[in-house]
């Protein structure tokens, strides 16, 4: 399934996941909207979530409030991209 968001946001989220989690660019390039993240990627543990969100804030110039962070937004690649895209457009 295709991810519906700005190409810049999709590329940024891919870059953040590769850089923060130490995933290969080839692996991250294969992620689609349905690719499971939290709970499916051993690299994405609770400590890594903070790093991913902080890096998204820095690269996209957004602010993610604590009450916006939940398991659902990190469930799949598509949900994380949709969240980041909505924040970047706000």
């Amino acid at each position: 399934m295709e991810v519906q968001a700005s190409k810049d946001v999709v590329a940024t989220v891919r870059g953040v996941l590769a850089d923060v989690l130490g995933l290969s660019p080839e692996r991250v390039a294969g992620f689609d909207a349905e690719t499971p993240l939290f709970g499916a990627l051993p690299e994405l543990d609770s400590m890594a979530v903070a790093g991913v969100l902080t890096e998204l804030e820095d690269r996209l110039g957004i602010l993610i409030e604590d009450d916006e962070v939940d398991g659902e937004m990190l469930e799949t690649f598509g949900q994380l991209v949709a969240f980041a895209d909505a924040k970047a457009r706000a």
Side-chain angles (χ1 to χ4, degrees):
M1 176 183 272
E2 189 65 30
V3 177
Q4 298 298 316
S6 130
K7 288 186 189 307
D8 289 341
V9 171
V10 174
T12 299
V13 173
R14 287 188 198 281
V16 166
L17 291 175
D19 294 347
V20 175
L21 302 181
L23 303 175
S24 72
E26 296 80 18
R27 183 174 176 196
V28 177
F31 288 1
D32 66 18
E34 302 301 317
T35 301
L37 296 180
F38 195 68
L41 292 177
E43 300 88 350
L44 186 59
D45 59 19
S46 56
M47 293 299 292
V49 167
V52 166
L53 297 180
T54 300
E55 195 63 24
L56 283 173
E57 287 179 323
D58 291 347
R59 294 189 192 186
L60 293 173
I62 60 176
L63 179 63
I64 301 171
E65 301 291 344
D66 290 344
D67 65 351
E68 295 175 310
V69 179
D70 60 26
E72 190 172 302
M73 70 172 278
L74 292 160
E75 193 172 333
T76 66
F77 180 71
Q79 286 170 295
L80 181 58
V81 168
F83 174 82
D85 191 56
K87 293 295 289 185
R89 293 173 191 263

